[in-house]
Amino acid sequence: MRYSSTIQSLSPSVTLQLSARAKEMMQSGRDVVSLSAGQPDFPTPAPIVQAAIEAIREGRTGYTASSGIPELRKAVAAVYSARRGLEWTTGNVVVSCGAKHSLSILIASAINPGDRVLLPRPYWVSYPEMVKAYGGVPVFTAEEGITPREIEAAAAQGAVGVMLNYPSNPSGCVPTAGEMREIADAVADSGMWVISDDIYEDLCYIEGGTPHILDFRPDLKERTAVVSGVSKTYSMTGWRIGYCLCSGEWARLAGMLQAHSTSNPCSISQWAALAAVEGKAEEERRDMHRAFLERRDLICSLLSAEEYLQFDRPDGAFYVFAKLTVGGPLDSTAFCSELLDEEGLAIIPGSAFGAEGYIRISFAASDDDIREGVKRLGRFLHGRYDT
Ligand code: PMP
Ligand code: GLU
């Protein structure tokens, strides 16, 4: 059989692969600490679970409208309209099987074969593969972040869209208001569409939250898709509910593609997500946020004692993205694979995010795992690189 050469050219998801390998090793009895997965380790808050149980009991178990139940779409539109001071309505919202699926159908609906899409480095592992899967060509910024000049240059070379992700996975970076204003103005001049992946928007550790492109240039609303969901904020990664807010036409196309591919996202999960979006688990959300902030401080203080690592304290998300300063170039994939085999510590290589020589360490883990993980990393580094 001849398979699709486009799909054959994609790379596997390193984040999912490595997390799965760590889990397998644990199940086979090995002592493994996993600081790999980007998922909260808390149970889903009880009021959300309760809403799901009620949905099952009340028999809300059939197909729903393929773009999501009107109640959830309406609630998402209301929350984000208030948050950004803009007006979205139900027709601007598509609820999908996780924010990953929202991204996928938005990209599919926005590009034609050969279209270039600009991705700031370091980028989340799935962006380039999604762009390629739909016939597009990912193009990247030269260094970390994105400058107005790079936006201008990419547009001049035919880029049709740009993907933004703040707080960033993998770096936890949040731009300043000044930086975001410059990005927003450059994007507005470029004519490109924008997908703003805001999945970590509620996991921000700085006063005032994450500056948003639409706060500076609300006139970009018609060509900006905002993506978010309940996975990270409410510890609901397995429930698979994400959503997007965009122009009516973009939502119509993305919704149509979804209808032909997955139908609707899980009906029960949608009712659970509605409880989350309506604020039924605010206390639990705040507690989890506080725990992540404390873990961020713990891991940063432990890692800062490590001479072979250089990193900026993340302002959001739950990852430390560290440069390995071991002298000379380094294959981060081999590094992480050997670290897992020798020390039983799972972390993600920077190569997955277009940043060779870096590692991503998740602090969505218990204090004990964070302490043990940092200890194992230090032992591995010193065993290898001390002279
Ligand atoms: N975007 C980024 C940057 C992420 O880290 C993730 C986490 N997997 C997603 C999107 C997808 O989230 P979800 O689990 O809701 O599909
Ligand atoms: N987003 C998480 C991560 O980067 C989960 C894995 C994935 O969806 O790829 O680790």
Side-chain angles (χ1 to χ4, degrees), residues 98-100 103 124 127 165 169 197 199-200 231-232 240 319:
K100 195 181 264 185
L103 291 164
W124 183 46
Y127 296 157
N165 169 225
N169 177 5
D197 178 353
I199 192 76
Y200 296 101
S231 300
K232 316 284 174 174
R240 308 308 303 133
Y319 311 103

Side-chain angles (χ1 to χ4, degrees), residues 13-16 19 36-39 100 124-126 169 200 232 237 240 318-319 348 353 360:
S13 166
V14 180
T15 45
L16 292 181
S19 310
S36 57
Q39 64 171 336
K100 195 181 264 185
W124 183 46
V125 59
S126 291
N169 177 5
Y200 296 101
K232 316 284 174 174
T237 51
R240 308 308 303 133
F318 32 58
Y319 311 103
I348 308 288
F353 312 102
R360 189 193 79 175

Side-chain angles (χ1 to χ4, degrees), residues 99-112:
K100 195 181 264 185
H101 193 229
S102 307
L103 291 164
S104 179
I105 56 176
L106 286 166
I107 293 171
S109 307
I111 57 181
N112 287 293

